[in-house]
Amino acid sequence: MATIVASMSMSLDGFIAGPEHRVDEVFSWYQNGDIELETNMAEFRFHVGEANARYLREAWGRIGAILAGRALFDITGGWGGTHPAGQPTVVYSREIPDGWENTEMMRFAPTLAEAAALAREIAGDKMVGTSGTRTVAGLLNEGLLDGIEVNLVPYLLGEGHRFFDGLKNTPIALTQPTVVEGEGVTHLRYDLRK
């Protein structure tokens, strides 16, 4: 069965975005090298260092589906119908947004548990990637999250949107991290102890 892993870039003081959802600093590592990596969307071209290129290629190769919340879907405009990772996306939304319908690449589910189950089914033996503060907190609160990847950047933002707000069932025990040193970022991977 597919695992569900939350992955976000985060400042040292715990923010995934600054005020007004600005991500310049936390996403800075995507543009600090000479190796160009293309995504499914032309406007998302990354220029990373060698270690980050290896990390991203390996991470992208493990993803079989994306699980997203409605807020992130709305902020991104639904990625134009296809997530930059190029994988099918399941959106947790109480209703299908106006102008959208279920397609092979974009599906909607009315509850987080149903969205998680559908994303696992689509991913098969691969991983379900997810992000967004409310979605991650909901998955943790419902015991549906299997792992956490933090791409830790050397910034202190002081304010904005925290990665782990809204947790109810704490403390949550994690395994020792797998650590990959990148250019301008440290990649940390934890599994949840269940």
Side-chain angles (χ1 to χ4, degrees), residues 54-143:
R54 279 192 310 272
Y55 172 81
L56 286 170
R57 287 180 182 129
E58 189 274 331
W60 292 347
R62 290 183 287 132
I63 297 174
I66 303 294
L67 172 60
R70 177 65 186 269
L72 184 60
F73 174 86
D74 288 343
I75 288 169
T76 64
W79 303 279
T82 305
H83 190 278
Q87 297 296 335
T89 301
V90 178
V91 179
Y92 159 50
S93 178
R94 289 184 178 85
E95 57 191 34
I96 297 177
D98 289 341
W100 291 88
E101 62 184 359
N102 283 313
T103 66
E104 184 178 322
M105 293 303 287
M106 192 70 61
R107 305 279 297 274
F108 299 90
T111 69
L112 187 54
E114 289 174 285
L118 179 57
R120 283 187 205 266
E121 179 183 323
I122 291 169
D125 61 355
K126 290 193 162 193
M127 179 183 89
V128 175
T130 190
S131 59
T133 56
R134 285 182 274 182
T135 300
V136 171
L139 290 165
L140 283 165
N141 292 337
E142 293 187 32

Side-chain angles (χ1 to χ4, degrees), residues 20-37:
E20 300 175 18
H21 298 281
R22 290 196 48 205
V23 294
D24 300 345
E25 293 84 8
V26 295
F27 283 3
S28 62
W29 67 277
Y30 285 113
Q31 299 299 332
N32 70 353
D34 296 328
I35 299 172
E36 181 175 276
L37 294 179

Side-chain angles (χ1 to χ4, degrees), residues 6 9 39 57 60 105 156 162:
S9 293
T39 70
R57 287 180 182 129
W60 292 347
M105 293 303 287
L156 298 170
R162 290 194 182 276

